[in-house]
């Protein structure tokens, strides 16, 4: 077992040693067993799109196979693989968004799902031209939901939310033919065009990939975020705690992991049920302790303050504490390994989604019609399991940190309003934010997002980059597992202002915000698109003019590649701390890291060293400032 990756996090070190003693296997064991990754796969030059293959291209030019059997070159194969990765990521986010739209469609006054943020519903109805005068809220909600559902398969036209972009950005998309059409259509087009014997021109494959990525960011993800806020409430700033220390010795611990708030909201309700709390007490526990992980952890912490047990790499570690009665999951980012790991302890591993049945798990299907009934049944399973906990196998690290979470765009604007004391037209806008950036008090902004990846010391790149950015007066917004890394490191607190440069520190004090703002889950990167676009529109500029970047220091999922692509296509430079599987094609790599900028005004940077990454980010931000003359 390699302990090289553990220096940064002593908690993990202790738990991995415990796993060894308990005879439990972890990701780090499997990493050692895996040895070196396949060189062809790593460079993206292996194709198995048809059964004449798999074909793989020799890395040495002029030697060995330079084309697949059909004649596909490394450039074609890399481009096709990249496109399919983006299609996979866009499908995951968008199918999540579609599910939320279905839930909004079935919401009712007396049902499990209600409309919590009527104001946001009315705003969206107005944006989409839905009549609201004199109509019942749920009638309006149904019509809005139906329009949202049509965005997935409408035969004509382009996506409605693209209208939210600044005018120059819309022009660029129009000119390049990048305006995304129906979400499913864009994903299907990628799958079709990358079939054997279809597109082989990497330029055109990248263009259709960029268009499909917009169907994620400005389509499925934005629908997911907007409709979740309508149903479950727009997040507001609230306190929580983060890290494995939130697991309680004397309570029934339930770990909630996955992505879909329609499920997690109902688990929160079930865990608050007085009868079930009494049942837990009757079982000898002090109560029920619901804790979150990955993006579901972000969803429930933003809306309910549910504490965060950890991020992606910690899912196994939480089970290894021996104190988790049940891990309950829905979709995405769930290790199938949890089934075998749970068997080493008393933990019940319960999967709930027909889209993610997991071999070896207990399957209790969740459906929205019987939502609360089902989640109560699941919580009961956890309570009944409390008696089976083997106290001799329990070790809960005490480390945890306080955090403030829940900075939706609306909440950020409310905070900014507090410091406005002059013109009425400065209220309810991002003008104060733009003003401090233009004045140079804040040099720029960075969205730090994404996963953990065992190729990188877990959380180390996230934290190194975030700390250096705030030290250099660059305000940071975070989502996904990067947000949880920041929470665990204590960066989502007012106290973190002490780590900032003078300008950012002053802004934090005046506005009353931490220097690192938790904006939610992965689909909530659509909130970042919204925020950046509001600043650009206010200034009559394009996103690409702003001193703003995206960073994914430890990304691993297909969703992250889709995100990176839509962020770049939206005009925002994106820095990746893990190099994507494209380097087998110099041409395609150059397209992503260089020539794409000629088209959309932004590009990818691949930089695995976090300190070098920060230098490049700062250079880029200063370059943008110089161009703006600010
Ligand atoms: Fe080989 Fe072409 Fe088939 Fe890919 S599509 S496996 S390169 S023959
Ligand atoms: S959960 S996609 S590991 S951020 Fe959204 Fe975390 Fe990455 Fe999953």
């Amino acid at each position: 077992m390699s302990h090289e990756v553990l220096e940064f996090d002593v908690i993990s070190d202790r738990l991995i040693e415990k796993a060894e003693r308990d005879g439990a296997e972890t990701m780090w064991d499997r990493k050692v067993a895996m040895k070196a990754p396949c060189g062809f796969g790593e460079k993206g030059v292996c194709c198995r799109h048809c059964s004449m293959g798999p074909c793989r291209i020799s890395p040495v030019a002029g030697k060995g196979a330079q084309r697949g059997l059909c004649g596909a070159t490394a450039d074609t194969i890399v481009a096709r693989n990249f496109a399919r990765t983006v299609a996979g990521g866009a499908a995951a986010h968008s199918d999540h968004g579609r599910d939320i739209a279905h839930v909004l469609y079935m919401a009712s006054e007396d049902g499990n799902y209600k409309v919590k943020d009527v104001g946001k519903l009315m705003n969206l109805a107005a944006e989409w031209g839905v009549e609201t005068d004199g109509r019942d809220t749920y009638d309006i909600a149904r019509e809005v939901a139906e329009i949202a559902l049509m965005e997935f398969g409408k035969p004509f036209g382009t996506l409605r939310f693209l209208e939210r972009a600044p005018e120059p950005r819309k022009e660029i998309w129009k000119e390049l033919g990048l305006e995304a059409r129906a979400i499913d259509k864009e994903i299907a087009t990628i799958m079709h065009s990358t079939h054997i014997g279809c597109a082989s021109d990497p330029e055109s494959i990248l263009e259709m990939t960029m268009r499909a990525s917009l169907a994620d960011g400005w389509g499925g993800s934005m629908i997911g975020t907007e409709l979740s806020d309508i149903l479950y409430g727009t997040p507001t700033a609230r306190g929580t705690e983060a890290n494995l220390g939130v697991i309680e010795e004397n309570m029934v611990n339930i770990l909630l992991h996955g992505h879909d708030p329609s499920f997690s909201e109902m688990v929160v309700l079930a865990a608050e049920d007085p009868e079930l709390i009494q049942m837990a007490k009757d079982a000898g526990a002090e109560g029920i302790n619901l804790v979150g992980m990955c993006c579901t952890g972000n969803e429930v912490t933003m809306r309910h303050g549910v504490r965060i047990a950890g991020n992606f790499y910690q899912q196994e570690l939480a089970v290894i504490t021996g104190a988790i009665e049940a891990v309950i999951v829905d979709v995405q980012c769930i290790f199938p390994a949890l089934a075998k790991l749970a068997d080493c302890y008393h933990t019940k591993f319960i999967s709930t989604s027909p889209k993610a049945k997991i071999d070896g798990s207990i399957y209790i299907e969740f459906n929205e019609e019987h939502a609360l009934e089902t989640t109560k049944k699941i919580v009961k399973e956890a309570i009944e399991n409390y008696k089976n906990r083997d106290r001799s196998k329990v070790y809960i690290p005490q480390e945890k940190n306080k955090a403030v979470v829940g900075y939706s765009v609306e909440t950020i604007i409310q905070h900014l309003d507090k410091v406005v004391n002059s013109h009425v037209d400065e209220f309810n806008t991002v003008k104060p934010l733009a003003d401090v950036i233009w004045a140079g008090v804040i040099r720029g902004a960075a969205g730090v997002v994404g996963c953990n990846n065992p190729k990188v010391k877990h959380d180390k790149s996230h934290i190194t980059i975030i700390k250096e950015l705030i030290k250099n007066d660059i305000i940071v917004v975070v989502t996904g597992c990067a947000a949880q890394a920041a929470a665990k490191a204590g960066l989502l607190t007012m106290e973190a202002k002490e780590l900032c440069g003078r300008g950012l520190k002053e802004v934090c004090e005046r506005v009353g915000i931490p220097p690192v703002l938790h904006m939610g889950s992965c689909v909530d990167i659509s909130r970042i698109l919204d925020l950046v676009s509001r600043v650009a529109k206010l200034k009559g500029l394009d996103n690409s003019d702003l001193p703003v970047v995206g960073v994914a220091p430890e990304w691993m999922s297909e969703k992250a590649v889709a995100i990176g692509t839509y962020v770049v296509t939206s005009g925002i430079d994106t820095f990746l701390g893990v190099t994507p599987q494209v380097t087998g094609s110099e041409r395609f790599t150059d397209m992503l890291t260089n020539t794409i900028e000629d088209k959309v005004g932004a590009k990818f940077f691949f930089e695995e060293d976090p300190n070098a990454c920060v230098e490049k980010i700062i250079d880029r931000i200063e370059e943008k400032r110089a161009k703006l003359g600010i």
Side-chain angles (χ1 to χ4, degrees):
M1 177 179 301
S2 163
H3 279 240
E4 181 256 338
V5 287
L6 305 178
E7 292 160 15
F8 191 67
D9 182 346
V10 285
I11 300 186
S12 311
D13 217 348
R14 280 180 252 143
L15 281 166
I16 288 169
E17 279 164 16
K18 179 178 184 296
E20 270 181 42
R21 289 196 301 278
D22 294 346
E25 181 194 280
T26 66
M27 170 176 75
W28 286 276
D29 297 309
R30 294 188 293 276
K31 187 170 189 287
V32 173
M34 194 64 67
K35 301 205 172 71
C38 164
F40 296 100
E42 195 161 48
K43 289 183 160 43
V45 286
C46 173
C47 178
R48 48 176 191 76
H49 289 198
C50 86
S51 72
M52 294 195 286
C55 299
R56 43 190 215 179
I57 305 301
S58 162
V60 186
K63 270 199 170 173
Q66 296 295 303
R67 287 174 180 264
L69 261 65
C70 65
T73 60
D75 300 332
T76 299
I77 292 173
V78 166
R80 289 195 309 211
N81 287 338
F82 185 83
R84 285 196 171 195
T85 302
V86 169
H93 280 149
S94 301
D95 210 32
H96 166 162
R98 185 202 325 261
D99 286 347
I100 307 284
H102 273 290
V103 172
L104 182 63
Y105 187 83
M106 64 178 273
S108 66
E109 192 71 72
D110 50 2
N112 283 322
Y113 295 100
K114 299 185 175 48
V115 169
K116 256 204 187 146
D117 191 336
V118 177
K120 192 148 183 167
L121 172 67
M122 294 305 163
N123 287 343
L124 185 55
E127 186 177 336
W128 283 356
V130 173
E131 184 59 57
T132 53
D133 277 355
R135 286 182 73 188
D136 172 70
T137 301
Y138 286 89
D139 260 0
I140 299 166
R142 259 190 304 283
E143 191 173 336
V144 165
E146 206 171 332
I147 294 174
L149 288 166
M150 288 302 291
E151 292 293 273
F152 289 84
K154 62 187 182 187
F156 308 110
T158 56
L159 292 180
R160 288 168 180 259
F161 278 143
L162 297 178
E163 282 303 317
R164 289 184 170 187
E167 286 306 321
R169 182 61 19 190
K170 289 193 274 187
E171 281 304 310
I172 291 170
W173 290 341
K174 193 171 185 172
E175 211 171 288
L176 297 173
L178 296 181
E179 293 167 300
R181 304 154 303 167
I183 298 160
D184 292 349
K185 183 173 181 170
E186 295 301 353
I187 294 166
T189 297
I190 294 260
M191 297 312 284
H192 174 191
S193 293
T194 54
H195 190 275
I196 178 176
C198 219
S200 73
D201 168 29
E203 293 280 349
S204 83
I205 295 172
L206 180 57
E207 274 171 16
M208 67 178 73
T209 306
M210 290 157 79
R211 196 174 58 203
S213 76
L214 293 182
D216 176 348
W218 298 83
S221 282
M222 205 167 271
I223 288 172
T225 297
E226 289 283 315
L227 272 47
S228 293
D229 285 357
I230 290 169
L231 279 164
Y232 310 121
T234 302
T236 51
R238 67 186 70 227
T240 189
E241 290 180 321
N243 217 340
L244 293 170
V246 303
I247 297 169
E248 299 288 349
E249 180 98 44
N250 298 318
M251 296 181 89
V252 172
N253 291 305
I254 300 176
L255 181 71
L256 189 53
H257 175 20
H259 279 77
D260 181 357
S262 305
F263 176 63
S264 52
E265 284 287 320
M266 288 297 136
V267 179
V268 172
L269 274 186
E272 286 170 350
D273 183 285
E275 267 180 39
L276 291 181
I277 293 171
Q278 189 54 50
M279 189 179 159
K281 289 183 177 165
D282 294 345
E286 286 171 6
I288 301 169
N289 182 37
L290 186 65
V291 294
M293 180 149 281
C294 280
C295 281
T296 254
N298 285 320
E299 297 277 0
V300 290
T301 200
M302 281 195 302
R303 297 197 176 91
H304 303 279
V306 170
R307 296 182 300 166
I308 301 163
N311 48 357
F312 180 68
Y313 86 90
Q314 285 174 300
Q315 54 189 290
E316 291 181 305
L317 304 184
V319 175
I320 293 165
T321 63
I324 300 288
E325 274 56 57
V327 180
I328 54 182
V329 302
D330 48 46
V331 291
Q332 300 174 21
C333 303
I334 301 146
F335 281 8
L338 291 180
K340 190 170 163 219
L341 183 67
D343 285 345
C344 296
Y345 301 90
H346 73 303
T347 307
K348 287 189 176 177
F349 176 44
I350 302 173
S351 59
T352 60
S353 169
K355 292 176 191 173
K357 287 189 181 176
I358 299 176
D359 198 17
S361 65
I362 300 165
Y363 182 65
I364 302 177
E365 186 157 316
F366 174 77
N367 68 53
E368 287 78 6
E369 280 80 23
H370 308 286
L372 192 54
E373 203 182 312
T374 315
T375 52
K376 279 186 183 175
K377 187 175 159 197
I378 295 170
V379 170
K380 264 187 206 163
E381 289 272 342
I383 297 170
E384 282 162 7
N385 199 24
Y386 183 69
K387 62 177 181 300
N388 298 323
R389 193 193 288 181
D390 177 351
R391 306 260 156 196
S392 71
K393 272 191 166 177
V394 171
Y395 166 67
I396 306 172
Q398 290 308 300
E399 284 86 350
K400 60 184 176 189
N401 241 317
K402 290 202 180 310
V404 185
V405 296
Y407 288 95
S408 55
V409 174
E410 293 84 341
T411 297
I412 292 173
I413 289 174
Q414 271 169 19
H415 276 76
L416 295 173
D417 278 350
K418 283 192 219 157
V419 293
V420 172
N421 50 19
S422 49
H423 306 294
V424 173
D425 63 357
E426 291 182 357
F427 284 102
N428 201 22
T429 74
V430 289
K431 186 170 182 303
L433 176 63
D435 285 350
V436 286
I437 294 175
W438 254 250
V441 181
I442 292 179
R443 307 301 296 170
V448 182
V449 306
C451 327
N452 299 115
N453 187 323
K455 288 180 176 168
V456 179
K457 283 182 187 171
H458 45 257
D459 287 355
K460 186 168 185 178
S461 291
H462 288 310
I463 301 310
T464 307
I465 290 172
I466 294 172
K467 278 187 175 169
E468 281 302 306
L469 291 176
I470 61 175
K471 195 164 108 190
N472 284 284
D473 288 324
I474 294 167
I475 193 167
V476 174
V477 296
V478 284
T479 63
C481 290
Q484 296 169 332
K488 287 185 287 170
L491 296 172
L492 307 185
T493 57
M494 282 307 295
E495 292 73 45
K497 70 183 185 336
E498 300 306 331
L499 303 171
C500 300
R502 240 179 74 196
L504 180 55
K505 182 178 173 185
E506 194 189 321
V507 169
C508 292
E509 282 167 351
R510 286 199 62 200
V511 184
I513 51 169
V516 184
L517 299 175
H518 181 290
M519 287 190 85
S521 64
C522 299
V523 291
D524 292 336
I525 293 171
S526 61
R527 297 189 201 274
I528 303 179
L529 290 180
D530 183 17
L531 186 64
V532 172
S533 296
R534 285 182 196 229
V535 175
K537 283 192 270 191
L538 184 91
K539 289 287 182 184
L541 295 167
D542 177 47
N543 295 338
S544 63
D545 298 319
L546 303 180
V548 166
V549 299
V551 197
E554 304 182 22
W555 72 274
M556 63 85 207
S557 74
E558 289 176 324
K559 292 178 287 175
V561 186
I563 292 167
T565 309
Y566 75 63
V567 171
V568 168
T569 309
S570 300
I572 302 165
D573 290 321
T574 296
F575 293 75
L576 299 180
V578 175
T579 304
Q581 293 152 356
V582 297
T583 54
S585 164
E586 263 180 47
R587 181 175 169 196
F588 196 73
T589 303
D590 186 59
M591 282 158 59
L592 292 180
T593 58
N594 182 21
T595 56
I596 194 172
E597 190 180 0
D598 302 336
K599 294 180 177 171
V600 293
K603 63 181 179 180
F604 281 100
F605 292 75
F606 304 160
E607 181 49 71
E608 296 185 359
D609 174 344
N611 292 305
C613 186
V614 170
E615 276 175 30
K616 288 181 184 172
I617 291 171
I618 293 174
D619 284 353
R620 197 66 170 168
I621 280 179
E622 292 304 328
E623 209 180 285
K624 294 274 168 95
R625 294 190 66 90
K627 265 194 206 155
L628 286 170
I630 57 175

